[in-house]
Amino acid sequence: MPDWVKETFCQRLDLLTENAEMLHDVLLLKNKLNRLEHLFMHKLDKVGEKKLHREWLALQEQMVSLQKGWLYTKGVQDGIKMMIFLQKSEQELESYEQGNKVIT
């Protein structure tokens, strides 16, 4: 498969990911989460509690990042498989059509 096709798949997935992050409902939830996080951090009394919370957030972000990376890879793999299937199907169709032209 040509590199430009692979790159096109990657760019499409990037665009869809960006669009998903900008969905109205997602933005509302992000804003609500940010407000709750700031309120939560303000309510924490001890420095150790805030540090623990930051560590928890960092691990959560790392987990989400790993999940996104895995999904991205699987999406690219599926796209490549689809292109191979379509390319093979197109070649078989051309071969079939050429065989029928010879017969008639």
Side-chain angles (χ1 to χ4, degrees):
M1 178 181 318
D3 288 339
W4 68 268
V5 174
K6 294 176 191 176
E7 183 62 29
T8 301
F9 276 122
C10 292
Q11 289 174 358
R12 175 69 176 155
L13 187 56
D14 287 341
L15 177 65
L16 292 175
T17 300
E18 289 174 17
N19 289 346
E21 291 173 357
M22 298 306 292
L23 292 172
H24 178 72
D25 292 340
V26 172
L27 290 174
L28 289 175
L29 290 173
K30 281 183 179 182
N31 288 334
K32 186 175 182 177
L33 181 62
N34 285 336
R35 286 192 307 270
L36 288 174
E37 182 181 347
H38 288 297
L39 180 63
F40 182 73
M41 289 296 287
H42 186 268
K43 296 278 183 177
L44 292 177
D45 294 332
K46 300 176 185 172
V47 174
E49 290 175 339
K50 289 183 181 184
K51 182 181 178 195
L52 183 62
H53 180 252
R54 286 188 187 103
E55 288 177 20
W56 176 73
L57 287 176
L59 285 174
Q60 188 178 22
E61 289 174 12
Q62 185 179 4
M63 181 184 66
V64 169
S65 178
L66 286 172
Q67 290 172 332
K68 284 182 179 182
W70 183 86
L71 287 171
Y72 182 89
T73 301
K74 291 300 177 186
V76 170
Q77 289 173 349
D78 289 349
I80 290 170
K81 288 176 186 176
M82 184 175 22
M83 288 299 295
I84 291 170
F85 171 77
L86 292 172
Q87 185 177 15
K88 182 179 178 192
S89 296
E90 186 176 312
Q91 288 171 349
E92 289 175 354
L93 178 62
E94 288 174 2
S95 176
Y96 174 77
E97 288 174 346
Q98 287 175 356
N100 282 340
K101 287 181 184 176
V102 173
I103 294 172
T104 58

